[in-house]
Amino acid sequence: MTRPGPALRVGLLGVTVTLVGYALFAAWLGVHARLYSDARDRATATATSVVVEDGIGDDEDVRVRWKDDEGRTHVQRFGVYDTGRYTRGERFRVAYAPGDSRGFPADPDETAAEDDLTVPVFLGAAVALPLSCVWIRRGLRFRLTARRPGRPMTARVRFGSRRATIWRGSTTTWLELTAPDGTVHWQRVMWHPAAAAIQAGSPALAHQVTVHGTGRRPAVVALPDGVRLVPLGRLRDHRPPFVVFDREATRADLRDAFILPATTAVPDAPPWWRGASAAFAGTTVGAASGLSLTDGSPTGTVALALCGATLLTSVWALSSPQP
């Protein structure tokens, strides 16, 4: 069985992270939404309470004081939609289950708490689906473009440096393509060891390649050994801005400060470390946002942590990581 190429492996990783992350996110909120719905169905008793504070937080929640059938006093915060109706000193009907200290808005139209658990599931789907479709579109475009008639060109593999972020590396792979009439084009591609070997062995030499595709659409370039590179973005007529070529000329590394024996092999950083960093950063930012936006609610904090980790890791995979 042929081992999948690096582009396919990254694509499978990106789709898997997106789908699994969304599944965990949806399951977490779905379970809590079900528990909330069941608890509200059991709340058959009602009590009249008084709003003791209004306009709490960005959502303008209210805090009410109510008594159950056993005479116990409870103070509880509720999310409401009709914020102008429930002001300080106004009456607020609370539904509760006898013997339970948890209350719910008796007004069936006040479903803010339940909506906070169900609406994000649909919003998450609206994000996860396009992220997955990007990979599907990229794969279909590659297959269809590779079937188009090819034209001979000469190509140089160029490594460009750009500003790195937490979800993408600083190095990108480009092909400088020269047509027989001397016209020069630039095509960004996903990293492949065959392209890296060509650049490492003869960075200044051009190689005969076959370019599939027409116009300014993404072009699939077939290397001399038959390897086809997955394009990223359109075929450019000009040198890409804000990218410095080549990696060998721009590398600023601590290893350059030492003289090593010629036979010493210094490995690059493993390609997955930035993905792990993106997942960790997404989890941290998501958890911090959850603590801030949900007043420390464990349900919201875990949900936003899952959302952040999934989103940043998926974006990292889409950025075409490379060693």
Side-chain angles (χ1 to χ4, degrees):
M1 181 177 180
T2 304
R3 185 182 179 186
L8 179 58
R9 291 198 298 270
V10 173
L12 292 175
L13 174 63
V15 173
T16 300
V17 167
T18 301
L19 296 181
V20 172
Y22 171 72
L24 293 175
F25 173 78
W28 174 260
L29 290 180
V31 168
H32 284 84
R34 180 65 180 180
L35 294 175
Y36 180 90
S37 179
D38 291 343
R40 184 164 185 169
D41 291 340
R42 293 193 298 268
T44 56
T46 58
T48 301
S49 62
V50 178
V51 178
V52 296
E53 187 179 359
D54 60 66
I56 303 173
D58 295 336
D59 295 330
E60 299 185 359
D61 295 346
V62 297
R63 183 172 284 109
V64 303
R65 182 173 60 246
W66 59 280
K67 288 185 179 181
D68 58 23
D69 55 352
E70 297 179 0
R72 293 175 298 183
T73 300
H74 308 275
V75 178
Q76 187 175 345
R77 177 174 172 174
F78 295 97
V80 293
Y81 286 126
D82 195 354
T83 55
R85 174 183 175 186
Y86 302 110
T87 58
R88 186 174 182 178
E90 294 293 328
R91 299 293 180 178
F92 187 94
R93 288 177 55 80
V94 175
Y96 67 96
D100 193 353
S101 61
R102 183 183 184 184
F104 304 88
D107 187 346
D109 293 330
E110 293 295 353
T111 59
E114 188 172 5
D115 293 343
D116 287 343
L117 296 172
T118 56
V119 171
V121 175
F122 297 98
L123 295 178
V127 175
L129 182 60
L131 286 175
S132 300
C133 287
V134 170
W135 284 111
I136 297 175
R137 178 177 177 272
R138 188 176 289 180
L140 289 176
R141 183 180 64 189
F142 171 75
R143 291 291 184 182
L144 295 176
T145 304
R147 295 178 180 179
R148 293 178 178 272
R151 59 190 188 276
M153 287 189 181
T154 58
R156 289 178 59 197
V157 179
R158 307 289 299 272
F159 286 144
S161 296
R162 61 186 177 183
R163 177 179 295 181
T165 63
I166 191 61
W167 60 81
R168 73 178 189 185
S170 61
T171 306
T172 58
T173 302
W174 291 81
L175 298 177
E176 182 182 354
L177 303 169
T178 303
D181 60 0
T183 304
V184 178
H185 302 278
W186 294 80
Q187 176 66 64
R188 184 184 171 215
V189 296
M190 295 188 70
W191 181 87
H192 195 284
I198 289 178
Q199 206 277 349
S202 53
L205 298 181
H207 298 265
Q208 290 293 328
V209 297
T210 302
V211 179
H212 301 269
T214 58
R216 301 181 65 182
R217 295 181 179 180
V220 174
V221 178
L223 298 180
D225 59 358
V227 172
R228 296 177 298 179
L229 302 178
V230 179
L232 297 172
R234 61 182 176 84
L235 185 67
R236 297 172 178 262
D237 295 331
H238 304 284
R239 181 188 179 102
F242 311 113
V243 180
V244 180
F245 298 96
D246 280 307
R247 181 171 64 181
E248 286 73 15
T250 61
R251 173 180 289 176
D253 198 295
L254 184 61
R255 292 172 293 183
D256 299 333
F258 300 92
I259 299 177
L260 301 177
T263 57
T264 302
V266 182
D268 288 326
W272 49 262
W273 78 267
R274 193 170 293 276
S277 299
F280 177 77
T283 302
T284 303
V285 173
S289 300
L291 291 173
S292 175
L293 298 175
T294 65
D295 293 326
S297 168
T299 302
T301 300
V302 173
L304 287 177
L306 288 171
C307 180
T310 301
L311 183 60
L312 281 190
T313 308
S314 298
V315 172
W316 166 79
L318 283 173
S319 71
S320 184
Q322 62 186 60

